[in-house]
Amino acid sequence: MSKSNREHKTSNFRLAIIDDISHKQLVTVHFTKTSFFVAIVTFLVTISAIVFSIIAFTPVRTFIPGYPDARSKRAAIQNAITIDSLETVIYKWGLYSENLKRVMEGMDPIRIDSIVNIGMNSISEDADFAEIQRKDSILREKVKEEEQFGISAGRDKRNLPIEGRHFFCPLKGVISQAYNPAGHPFIDIAAPEGSVVKATLDGTVISAEWNNESGYTIKIQHDGDIISIYRHNEKILKKTGDKVSAGSPIALVGNTGDLSTGTHLHFELWHKGEAVDPAKYINF
């Protein structure tokens, strides 16, 4: 019986803080092995939660080695643009080498009309250019007849839904910030300074002006109650009232305006008074 009581007593513990001079107990804590283990686990979980919250929701995470910050993201975008440019240069040098080889072997060089055609399939040397010119002349005559009798006028006024329209890509680059209906109802496209910005659809320039926040901004009204907006340009190539066609140059990429943090195009697409995601209709 005494042995069982002794085992029961040793399962309880007491932690006391005593004044060394007066020998008065200041704090006394009673605990068991189980409560001590639970307290330690609770303390460790609480500390882990606090550390995780600090790292996840405060700028402290940027001090962690290897964590991507704003500078590294901009560097990644710039590297992607540089790689794309290098691919184009390599392709051009490949064409140059191929033409040099063909000339050295006494063969005709590959026919290239312009740099724009780089990356497209080259025209076969065996093609019947006379037949192509004949078909082109017939097509031109047909278009003239339609314009003369107003056949195509009705086609331009068809009220197609936005999903049925063919949008021209305003700028080839890297989407640095995607569309977000809550706080970012537009997209940002990073590209080298001076790159040509093009109209995404046929339309009329309704505004071409300077704005302190957006820099050089151009707005275009299109059929079907569609408006496209291009901000932070280095230079505007059109003026208010000008008619533009899809794919025609309207501005040059820049970094103007107080809200701009780097060279890019701020692109907005509006349909019936509401901002829509351009990436749903345009392949950037």
Side-chain angles (χ1 to χ4, degrees), residues 19-34:
D19 191 337
D20 190 41
I21 298 176
S22 63
H23 300 285
K24 181 181 179 181
Q25 292 187 0
L26 301 178
V27 178
T28 304
V29 180
H30 296 272
F31 59 91
T32 62
K33 292 181 179 180
T34 302

Side-chain angles (χ1 to χ4, degrees), residues 10-53:
T10 57
S11 62
N12 296 320
F13 301 91
R14 181 177 62 181
L15 177 65
I17 299 176
I18 302 175
D19 191 337
D20 190 41
I21 298 176
S22 63
H23 300 285
K24 181 181 179 181
Q25 292 187 0
L26 301 178
V27 178
T28 304
V29 180
H30 296 272
F31 59 91
T32 62
K33 292 181 179 180
T34 302
S35 62
F36 178 77
F37 178 75
V38 171
I40 292 297
V41 171
T42 303
F43 175 77
L44 293 177
V45 170
T46 303
I47 292 298
S48 300
I50 293 174
V51 172
F52 174 79
S53 299

